[in-house]
Amino acid sequence: MKLVWSPETAAKAYIDTVKSCELFKESSVAELVSAMAAGWDAKLIVETWSQGGVVGTSIGLAIASRHTDGRHVCIVPDEASRTEYAAAMEEAGMSPEVIVGEAEEALADLVGIDFMVVDSQRKDFATVMKVANLGSRGAVLVCKNATSSRSASSFRWRSVVDSGSRRLVRSVFLPVGKGLDIAYVATSGGNSGSGKGNKRWIRHIDRQSGEEYMIRK
């Protein structure tokens, strides 16, 4: 199943996020991810957060979930992070769902993720995305604070989709905030074994846009 883009919903989420995130340093990131999550009609939006972080992106994702009638979940490592995160979000008029614990354990109970945001400065960011239970129509995965190095980006997504049930459809790096590395990952629902050995995926990078594509031959 393929994700379908809704420009109207994306625009509404973007505008609402602009109004709510004017005071945050990462407002541009918040506006973009909010529009993306809403535009893809994400029903399960997941992010990770830790103490000392900015909640601008979280506000954007919470707004997106309202427009899609979806579920927004934030995974934090400890109670101190939960307290700080909840207080900051409540001040912004938001009350998202928060799960305390190791991201890998928390993700075991979150099935059908449509949209996920992880800080690439986390040591385990690739592992977190790799173990995430993505929805049957695939998911949009976003790395914040990403390096602009194309080789680093390629390595990042290879480690995430190194599985027979996933494939990288498209990825792009955007110089927004401290860098956003975004990928659309499709899932095969466990049927990737059919016809094995007959086809292969070829990686292609558009020289003008820098966008990466996976073409099946």
Side-chain angles (χ1 to χ4, degrees):
M1 186 181 295
K2 186 178 181 180
L3 292 178
V4 178
W5 178 257
S6 172
E8 181 179 355
T9 307
K12 290 179 180 178
Y14 179 89
I15 292 171
D16 288 348
T17 304
V18 169
K19 295 177 181 177
S20 300
C21 294
E22 292 178 341
L23 300 179
F24 291 96
K25 295 180 180 179
E26 60 173 12
S27 60
S28 58
V29 175
E31 293 154 9
L32 179 59
V33 296
S34 178
M36 289 181 63
W40 291 125
D41 193 31
K43 299 303 182 183
L44 178 53
I45 301 171
V46 178
E47 65 168 324
T48 60
W49 191 90
S50 55
Q51 193 172 16
V54 181
V55 297
T57 298
S58 301
I59 292 173
L61 295 176
I63 290 173
S65 68
R66 292 179 178 178
H67 284 278
T68 66
D69 292 322
R71 179 186 178 192
H72 170 219
V73 181
C74 181
I75 301 172
V76 298
D78 48 48
E79 282 297 331
S81 294
R82 186 199 67 78
T83 300
E84 183 177 320
Y85 178 82
M89 291 296 282
E90 287 174 7
E91 185 176 349
M94 310 287 179
S95 55
E97 182 179 347
V98 183
I99 298 178
V100 179
E102 293 296 327
E104 291 184 56
E105 297 178 4
L107 284 167
D109 296 323
L110 297 174
V111 180
I113 296 172
D114 298 308
F115 197 93
M116 187 173 190
V117 179
V118 175
D119 191 333
S120 62
Q121 293 183 345
R122 290 177 59 107
K123 294 181 180 179
D124 62 345
F125 78 90
T127 301
V128 169
M129 288 191 165
K130 189 172 182 179
V131 301
N133 296 304
L134 307 184
S136 60
R137 61 176 183 157
V140 174
L141 306 180
V142 181
C143 284
K144 296 197 309 179
N145 300 316
T147 173
S148 60
S149 168
R150 173 52 56 183
S151 60
S153 174
S154 299
F155 174 79
R156 176 179 297 117
W157 296 124
R158 280 200 301 271
S159 65
V160 170
V161 301
D162 185 19
S163 168
S165 62
R166 294 183 178 186
R167 62 181 176 84
L168 180 65
V169 177
R170 186 177 182 181
S171 69
V172 62
F173 174 83
L174 299 177
V176 178
K178 294 183 179 180
L180 288 178
D181 207 357
I182 305 167
Y184 169 41
V185 176
T187 56
S188 63
N191 296 323
S192 59
S194 59
K196 60 182 179 180
N198 297 327
K199 297 183 179 181
R200 61 194 179 97
W201 291 95
I202 297 176
R203 174 170 164 266
H204 170 72
I205 297 177
D206 188 303
R207 293 183 179 180
Q208 292 186 336
S209 67
E211 295 181 333
E212 181 175 322
Y213 303 86
M214 296 300 289
I215 303 172
R216 197 172 192 182
K217 293 287 189 178

